[in-house]
Amino acid sequence: MEENKRIMNFRPEIKILDATLRDGGLVNNFYFTDEFVRDLYKANVKAGVDYMEFGYKASKEIFDVDKFGKWKFCNEDDIRDIVGDNVSDLKISIMADVGRCDYKNDIVNRSDSAVDMVRVATYINTMPAAIEMIEDANRKGYETTCNIMAISNANETDIDIALEMLGKSCVDGIYIVDSYGSIYPEQMRVIADKYVEVGEKYGKEIGIHAHNNQQLAFANTIESVSRGVNFLDATMSSMGRGAGNCAMELLLGFLKNPKYNLFPVLQFIEKHIVKLQQEGVVWGYDIPYLLTGRLNQHPSAAIDFTKEKRKDYSEFYQWLLERE
Amino acid sequence: MEENKRIMNFRPEIKILDATLRDGGLVNNFYFTDEFVRDLYKANVKAGVDYMEFGYKASKEIFDVDKFGKWKFCNEDDIRDIVGDNVSDLKISIMADVGRCDYKNDIVNRSDSAVDMVRVATYINTMPAAIEMIEDANRKGYETTCNIMAISNANETDIDIALEMLGKSCVDGIYIVDSYGSIYPEQMRVIADKYVEVGEKYGKEIGIHAHNNQQLAFANTIESVSRGVNFLDATMSSMGRGAGNCAMELLLGFLKNPKYNLFPVLQFIEKHIVKLQQEGVVWGYDIPYLLTGRLNQHPSAAIDFTKEKRKDYSEFYQWLLERE
């Protein structure tokens, strides 16, 4: 009864972040048409989505601007071109990777920017650099989150230390990131409890960014919700690296918050996502991703296997096992 | 820690049932090649799978034998042709639908049969007929289970009464069946607790048969495991009606029982399932199934929508909402 009662209810604190351009951009090197981005923005506004991530703020010293679409760099003008003065309740975020972002120069003051939130992505061993970036963004007036990647490969003591560092920092939110899609719901609940405990102690929001290697991105996301995680990443039809992410359409179907509306998302998918898929852009659950996820490995080998249209799963599995 | 401890461990009571021919047969009218069935049998034996369901024992009075492959009828000779004397640890099951099976004549004594277990599928309003069939199979020497379908549409008092009736019957196992793929993990845990309580009271095993409409078939299956459910249905690459079932490859990747082996399953998939898919046999998660699952409706409309290769999801959703 308790559980049934909960499922009939909703938490107004819940926020959905659409990461289609950012994680989906990893699939097509950020080459989205302007029409795609404009319609995505409109769909998110209509659907009641809380944040839309436009992409990365990547260093133009490190990455060649001619080899990627513009959403790897998220120039102010390009965002403005889509959102104008962003007269809506939808906030705008960008992601900044530790070591791959000239944040001091490239991230301007919030008062001069269309962006509301800067999400800093880091591995556990670069926490001090991440915190410097967070402090910089915070000083410039942005909401900030820290997304600690690949925690399934980090040791627990290190995670505890990182969470304490973040707790004491000026960051607004801390994200659980299941980069390899290797975490099962019963493990996710333990992780969520740990993060939420720190969040409650220091007044930080906790978020989740899941991958679908074992068809658990949606399940892990809604399990986290039941443990107090409020910031939920999703992408249209799961579009994201490898097996993709938690599907926006599944998440909106689940959440009972009356402000959310599935309909514009379905319209966006039938207009744009179906087309991408027909053009041969590939992502989503498949056996190679299950295998890397199950072995808690980076999906890169599975991405290559899929690109080559190989189907010799048993050979691939043996190869993965041997290199462990 | 408790949860992590559990995930490192295994329960020897767990049994996996491969339902590829039976639920997958609903996708291709049971037209599997003999080579497919023979290799599936071998793969299951090698993988340590506990039961293989060959199909339905459907009435030849009701169904035209010329319009379906042989596994809709599961003649003794056809099973024998695949398994010989079945010198293996793999047990064989068939499914018998209430009202669609001439069980008195068509199900012979177990001593004359290759079959070990009869699974009786019923809606909640035909429980007395189901129990008659179970008693008949039990008298003939079979293991029996009762699979109560579409429980997400039944009222809870009726389910309680049905479970009590089954508890007091001679049935060996009772299955939770999420026919519409509409149940979320937090609801599934409540349902599993209810079934397991009855199971413990009366000495019955509890099983689960999940559908993947909301990408939750695997998640719901492993959540049920954590609540004491022991009989787990899975199919190769999820092959089954509509959005399909819990994928065997996901389940074997999760379970820690050392008798299970993922490798022969991958070999089977790359040889046979990939081919079926290339031939245009379609099943598995897709947006129309999410929509019927989310609305707790039978997947038939989504199956038609998918067959027609329609992509107007928002139109379809509106139509589903209007007929509610």
Side-chain angles (χ1 to χ4, degrees):
Chain A
M1 272 306 283
E2 257 328 291
E3 304 230 18
N4 279 343
K5 222 183 290 171
R6 202 172 53 220
I7 220 166
M8 296 292 293
N9 224 320
F10 73 94
R11 265 208 314 276
E13 297 83 11
I14 284 176
K15 308 283 179 205
I16 301 180
L17 184 146
D18 168 46
T20 306
L21 293 183
R22 208 266 309 155
D23 214 318
L26 297 170
V27 178
N28 69 351
N29 283 332
F30 305 89
Y31 287 115
F32 296 99
T33 65
D34 285 352
E35 193 196 7
F36 183 102
V37 179
R38 204 161 275 131
D39 285 350
L40 180 60
Y41 170 74
K42 286 182 200 157
N44 280 325
V45 170
K46 278 195 204 160
V49 167
D50 302 278
Y51 291 84
M52 172 170 164
E53 189 152 85
F54 271 72
Y56 284 97
K57 198 81 186 174
S59 164
K60 290 172 191 163
E61 304 287 317
I62 300 176
F63 298 98
D64 184 345
V65 292
D66 294 333
K67 289 192 174 147
F68 298 93
K70 56 189 166 189
W71 305 108
K72 190 172 175 79
F73 305 99
C74 283
N75 294 326
E76 280 297 333
D77 291 348
D78 292 329
I79 299 178
R80 282 284 179 210
D81 191 39
I82 303 294
V83 307
D85 292 331
N86 186 25
V87 187
S88 78
D89 292 331
L90 178 72
K91 291 184 177 179
I92 290 165
S93 77
I94 51 164
M95 182 162 272
D97 268 346
V98 166
R100 297 180 194 166
C101 173
D102 305 321
Y103 61 95
K104 285 181 188 160
N105 298 319
D106 288 351
I107 298 180
V108 300
N109 284 332
R110 185 178 179 180
S111 50
D112 302 321
S113 173
V115 175
D116 301 284
M117 181 161 75
V118 174
R119 304 206 302 169
V120 173
T122 180
Y123 291 101
I124 197 121
N125 59 337
T126 50
M127 282 307 300
I131 288 177
E132 256 186 37
M133 289 172 69
I134 289 162
E135 286 170 347
D136 178 80
N138 178 269
R139 262 195 310 271
K140 288 172 177 165
Y142 294 98
E143 296 175 34
T144 58
T145 73
C146 184
N147 298 33
I148 316 172
M149 299 184 287
I151 50 166
S152 56
N153 263 354
N155 82 49
E156 287 176 71
T157 315
D158 288 350
I159 296 174
D160 291 339
I161 294 168
L163 292 178
E164 278 298 312
M165 288 168 76
L166 287 169
K168 290 172 183 157
S169 80
C170 59
V171 81
D172 299 302
I174 308 170
Y175 262 85
I176 304 166
V177 185
D178 180 16
S179 303
Y180 301 161
S182 65
I183 299 174
Y184 294 112
E186 48 190 306
Q187 297 171 307
M188 189 54 87
R189 289 193 289 272
V190 178
I191 295 167
D193 287 348
K194 181 203 284 257
Y195 277 60
V196 167
E197 198 186 315
V198 172
E200 282 171 358
K201 184 171 163 194
Y202 292 106
K204 312 292 188 193
E205 285 290 353
I206 304 301
I208 177 159
H209 179 84
H211 277 272
N212 207 28
N213 295 60
Q214 301 193 84
Q215 291 191 10
L216 292 171
F218 174 52
N220 278 332
T221 300
I222 64 181
E223 286 302 299
S224 305
V225 169
S226 76
R227 311 304 269 220
V229 171
N230 282 338
F231 274 61
L232 313 177
D233 278 17
T235 63
M236 299 296 170
S237 287
S238 291
M239 188 180 186
R241 170 182 272 166
N245 304 110
C246 174
M248 181 66 80
E249 56 274 26
L250 286 166
L251 189 59
L252 287 180
F254 171 77
L255 292 171
K256 300 292 171 288
N257 305 37
K259 66 179 246 184
Y260 295 131
N261 181 4
L262 179 55
F263 210 73
V265 166
L266 295 176
Q267 289 175 313
F268 178 81
I269 291 170
E270 71 195 31
K271 181 170 177 192
H272 287 289
I273 297 287
V274 170
K275 204 172 138 206
L276 276 192
Q277 288 171 326
Q278 284 167 348
E279 288 166 3
V281 184
V282 175
W283 70 89
Y285 171 81
D286 202 353
I287 288 173
Y289 299 116
L290 147 65
L291 297 174
T292 59
R294 198 234 160 177
L295 297 173
N296 194 17
Q297 296 185 6
H298 193 282
S300 55
I303 292 170
D304 293 343
F305 181 96
T306 305
K307 270 196 190 140
E308 292 166 23
K309 302 193 177 172
R310 284 172 59 185
K311 300 285 178 190
D312 51 330
Y313 306 122
S314 57
E315 190 85 13
F316 179 63
Y317 186 48
Q318 199 144 35
W319 180 80
L320 290 174
L321 286 170
E322 275 163 13
R323 69 169 195 172
E324 273 216 305
Chain B
M1 272 303 284
E2 256 327 292
E3 304 232 18
N4 280 341
K5 221 184 288 171
R6 200 171 56 220
I7 219 166
M8 295 293 292
N9 224 319
F10 72 95
R11 264 207 316 276
E13 297 83 12
I14 285 174
K15 308 283 178 205
I16 301 180
L17 184 145
D18 168 48
T20 307
L21 293 183
R22 206 266 310 156
D23 214 318
L26 296 170
V27 178
N28 69 350
N29 283 333
F30 305 89
Y31 287 114
F32 296 100
T33 65
D34 286 353
E35 193 196 7
F36 182 102
V37 179
R38 205 162 273 128
D39 285 351
L40 180 60
Y41 170 73
K42 285 183 199 157
N44 280 325
V45 169
K46 278 196 204 159
V49 167
D50 301 279
Y51 291 83
M52 172 171 164
E53 189 150 86
F54 271 71
Y56 285 98
K57 198 81 186 174
S59 163
K60 291 172 190 164
E61 303 288 317
I62 300 177
F63 298 99
D64 184 345
V65 292
D66 294 331
K67 288 191 177 148
F68 298 94
K70 56 190 169 189
W71 305 108
K72 190 172 175 78
F73 305 99
C74 283
N75 295 326
E76 280 297 332
D77 291 348
D78 292 329
I79 299 178
R80 282 285 179 212
D81 190 38
I82 303 294
V83 307
D85 292 330
N86 186 23
V87 187
S88 78
D89 292 331
L90 178 72
K91 290 184 176 177
I92 290 163
S93 78
I94 52 165
M95 182 161 273
D97 267 347
V98 166
R100 297 179 195 169
C101 172
D102 305 320
Y103 61 95
K104 285 181 187 158
N105 298 318
D106 288 350
I107 298 181
V108 300
N109 284 331
R110 183 178 181 181
S111 50
D112 301 321
S113 173
V115 174
D116 300 285
M117 182 160 76
V118 174
R119 303 207 302 170
V120 174
T122 180
Y123 290 101
I124 196 119
N125 59 339
T126 50
M127 282 307 300
I131 288 177
E132 255 186 38
M133 289 172 70
I134 289 162
E135 285 170 347
D136 178 81
N138 178 269
R139 262 194 311 272
K140 288 171 176 165
Y142 294 97
E143 297 175 33
T144 58
T145 72
C146 185
N147 297 33
I148 315 171
M149 299 184 288
I151 50 166
S152 55
N153 264 353
N155 83 50
E156 287 176 69
T157 316
D158 289 350
I159 295 175
D160 291 340
I161 294 168
L163 291 178
E164 278 298 311
M165 288 169 76
L166 288 169
K168 290 171 182 157
S169 80
C170 60
V171 82
D172 299 300
I174 307 168
Y175 263 84
I176 304 165
V177 185
D178 181 15
S179 303
Y180 301 161
S182 65
I183 298 173
Y184 294 112
E186 49 189 307
Q187 297 171 308
M188 188 54 88
R189 289 193 289 272
V190 177
I191 295 167
D193 287 349
K194 181 203 283 258
Y195 278 61
V196 167
E197 197 186 315
V198 172
E200 282 171 356
K201 182 171 164 196
Y202 292 106
K204 313 293 187 193
E205 286 290 354
I206 304 303
I208 176 159
H209 179 84
H211 277 273
N212 207 30
N213 295 59
Q214 301 193 84
Q215 291 191 12
L216 292 171
F218 174 51
N220 278 332
T221 300
I222 64 181
E223 286 302 299
S224 305
V225 168
S226 76
R227 310 303 270 220
V229 171
N230 283 337
F231 274 61
L232 313 177
D233 279 18
T235 63
M236 299 297 170
S237 286
S238 292
M239 187 180 187
R241 170 182 273 168
N245 305 108
C246 173
M248 180 67 80
E249 57 274 25
L250 285 167
L251 189 58
L252 287 179
F254 171 77
L255 292 171
K256 300 292 170 288
N257 305 37
K259 65 179 248 186
Y260 294 130
N261 183 4
L262 179 55
F263 210 73
V265 166
L266 295 176
Q267 289 176 311
F268 178 81
I269 291 170
E270 70 195 30
K271 181 170 176 192
H272 287 289
I273 297 288
V274 170
K275 204 171 137 206
L276 276 192
Q277 288 171 325
Q278 285 167 347
E279 288 166 3
V281 183
V282 175
W283 70 90
Y285 171 81
D286 202 352
I287 288 173
Y289 299 117
L290 146 65
L291 298 173
T292 59
R294 198 236 160 176
L295 297 174
N296 194 17
Q297 296 185 7
H298 192 282
S300 55
I303 292 171
D304 292 343
F305 181 96
T306 306
K307 270 197 187 136
E308 292 166 22
K309 302 194 177 169
R310 283 174 57 186
K311 301 285 178 190
D312 51 330
Y313 306 123
S314 56
E315 190 84 15
F316 180 63
Y317 186 48
Q318 199 144 35
W319 181 79
L320 289 174
L321 285 170
E322 275 163 13
R323 70 170 195 170
E324 273 214 307

